[in-house]
Amino acid sequence: MRASLAWLLFALGAAIPSVAVLVVALRAASTESARAREEQFAERVAAAQATKRDVDAALARATETLRRLEPAAVSRLESRLMAEKPDFADVVVIGAEGQMLVPKPMTDEPPSPPECLTHRAELLEGDRTAARDGIIGACPHLKSEQGRYLWPLLALERVAEGSTPADAVATWIEEHAARLGPAERSVLRARVAPLPEKVRDAALGALDRPLPLHRTLAGLLTEPPGSDSVEAGLRIHRGRYLSLVRTMPEGIDAGFVVHESSMIRAPGLPAHLVLAAGARGDATDVVLTPSLVLHVEPKDGASLDAEARRSGRRILAVGVAGVLTAVALATVLFARARKAQRLAELRTDFVAAVSHELRTPLASVRMLSELLETGELPDDERPEVERTLAGEARRLSDTVERMLRFGALARGRLSVQKSRVPASCILEDARDRFHKAHPDKGIVVDAPPSLEMHVDPGLVGLVLDNLLSNAAKYAAEGHPYRVEVRRDGRHALLSVSDSGPGIAARARRRIFSPFERADDRLSRATEGTGVGLSLVRGVARAHGGDAFVKSTVGAGSTFVVRFPLEGS
Ligand code: ADP
């Protein structure tokens, strides 16, 4: 089977189970991350239920406290309620006229002097600039008819004109932030935008501070949409907030208010959970009133989500790693099996080739010697027959010699007997041998007369014979062949060039391995066993050098053998 077809079948065979395993791993990964999410959800539900139990128990205790409340002065009522209030509630005491007594309102600012009121009137009808300058100079607490501070808005106008320093506005906002209502805050937030960055950030910081509790509760309690009921002597309101209030003698209302921000800053609620107002409609909601719902969320939801994804990914990674390892292992095994198979094929070819190489000259030797034996050969033909007989015997002995050397090399027993020899002698001897075997082919040798090599001359001769006989076989028309030796640093480079058909790039490395030939078709058409070049490289390496080929398809090849000059 052709190698590419075998690899294709292998790839298909490996791809099918790999895809199957990957699909299984993907499924396992998604099941795992779903399981991790379910687990997290179950934890949140359990935490929500525990929170709900705590809240219910605290509210029951608060109801009991209110029922038992004795009439007393406001300050005593306050301290009693503060001691018994649930963590997530605020205490309120409201006077008979509806004024909030607890939490205490901020002490009022001093009333503005009469000229401030005149300035206020002049702002609308009169000298606006003078009125504005008067207010900025002496009326920092002056409010409009609607109860909004005038100072910051007028000062901001003058900042834009360049006559009031910007940081004066920031300072005023810092000082008055606690008294500013939500509407004033949002107007100022928009107006301070053009101020220099540092001043603007200071002003925005002050405007973003939470409203004082009195203001928050006052805002909440003034417009309470929701339902009021009377249960067990207490007035209970359920809407944006939950309040439990008991009316004491003299019309004073005292009780507890639970609202969004009192819940969120409650210290007694589970520390690992964040309580966000607003219903999500699932089992992790703690419903206090229809519009006051706490949603129990993991404090670090994003990282828990990432953890769920990670555990899914871990499974997938294990699956992918498993598949990759299995495919890599199978590939290695398959490659080895292919190599062993190829080697077995090459060996069979080798045995056939060697038998053929021996049989042909052997048949000639036998035939020619029998011819001589008959004594019937005419005298004039005798020298020719004897020459052919000697040539065939030489061929036989060369083949046997090559096989023996190859056998020794394969067993690591190639013996190298080095001596100092002029390079030119080795080349000229090889040229003479080649001439004898191939009188019809041209050969040129070139060696510097002074260059000496420290090598086994027999083995180097074998190298040259192999390279030259290859040139004659595979580049029959590519002569004259050029055999050259030159010094290259601490090496001698011995090369044999032809201008034959060349060798394809993918075969250049391979042909130096035993039994390998550049082209399988060639091995059928041309005599050869595929061991010549492996012998060439073996000899080079036994000397501490190496062998390689440079070739251009269609233009020829140059085989180069490098020998160290060391010791020469
Ligand atoms: P063999 O000649 O017995 O096949 P070798 O190991 O000597 O074995 O050569 C290996 C292969 O290298 C040859 O089969 C041939 O395909 C290729 N080869 C060797 N020398 C040449 C050359 N001069 N030009 C083109 N191909 C060559």
Side-chain angles (χ1 to χ4, degrees), residues 109-383:
E109 282 160 339
S112 297
E115 67 267 25
C116 291
L117 299 178
T118 317
H119 289 323
R120 188 171 73 187
E122 279 171 359
L123 261 188
L124 297 174
E125 308 147 7
D127 182 351
R128 190 172 189 281
T129 312
R132 188 179 69 177
D133 292 348
I135 292 172
I136 291 175
C139 312
H141 311 305
L142 184 66
K143 291 188 174 180
S144 69
E145 302 282 354
Q146 293 76 36
R148 303 261 157 82
Y149 284 104
L150 290 171
W151 199 96
L153 300 173
L154 298 175
L156 278 165
E157 281 176 18
R158 286 215 330 190
V159 172
E161 291 163 9
S163 50
T164 294
D167 44 6
V169 178
T171 311
W172 187 96
I173 292 175
E174 289 257 352
E175 281 168 6
H176 291 77
R179 294 168 187 280
L180 295 171
E184 281 177 300
R185 285 175 180 230
S186 77
V187 169
L188 281 178
R189 245 184 233 113
R191 296 276 179 94
V192 298
L195 292 182
E197 193 179 327
K198 221 170 133 198
V199 179
R200 184 190 62 214
D201 289 351
L204 288 177
L207 292 173
D208 285 342
R209 256 176 245 143
L211 285 175
L213 186 57
H214 174 269
R215 282 213 84 117
T216 311
L217 287 179
L220 261 184
L221 302 182
T222 42
E223 31 180 320
S227 68
D228 284 307
S229 60
V230 175
E231 290 166 31
L234 301 182
R235 269 209 337 277
I236 299 182
H237 171 84
R238 288 190 177 84
R240 273 179 60 211
Y241 62 94
L242 167 71
S243 71
L244 309 174
V245 177
R246 176 159 159 210
T247 303
M248 308 297 289
E250 296 168 18
I252 289 180
D253 282 344
F256 303 110
V257 180
V258 182
H259 54 106
E260 195 178 297
S261 42
S262 75
M263 278 306 285
I264 288 169
R265 58 186 149 78
L269 293 173
H272 67 288
L273 299 172
V274 171
L275 294 167
R280 309 281 164 95
D282 66 27
T284 63
D285 286 343
V286 177
V287 181
L288 288 166
T289 76
S291 47
L292 182 61
V293 178
L294 298 157
H295 182 72
V296 180
E297 287 181 339
K299 197 170 215 160
D300 197 358
S303 88
L304 284 177
D305 252 21
E307 178 55 40
R309 273 199 303 277
R310 261 201 300 279
S311 59
R313 256 186 262 135
R314 261 199 298 273
I315 291 206
L316 190 62
V318 169
V320 170
V323 168
L324 289 181
T325 316
V327 169
L329 224 82
T331 310
V332 169
L333 291 178
F334 184 73
R336 284 200 168 187
R338 282 291 307 167
K339 204 170 165 188
Q341 191 186 1
R342 175 152 175 76
L343 209 65
E345 282 167 14
L346 288 172
R347 282 203 174 122
T348 315
D349 284 357
F350 170 71
V351 170
V354 172
S355 314
H356 182 72
E357 277 214 7
L358 292 176
R359 200 172 53 192
T360 317
L362 214 64
S364 306
V365 167
R366 193 172 156 199
M367 194 197 72
L368 294 171
S369 55
E370 280 173 6
L371 193 63
L372 286 174
E373 208 177 27
T374 56
E376 289 168 9
L377 197 66
D379 281 352
D380 57 334
E381 286 179 22
R382 206 176 171 90

Side-chain angles (χ1 to χ4, degrees), residues 470-471 473-475 498 501-503 511 516-519 522 527-534 557 559:
N470 275 353
K473 271 197 288 182
Y474 304 111
D498 64 62
I503 301 165
I511 51 175
E516 293 281 3
R517 309 187 75 185
D519 180 339
L522 192 79
E527 261 184 23
T529 53
V531 301
L533 289 179
S534 78
S557 314
F559 286 85

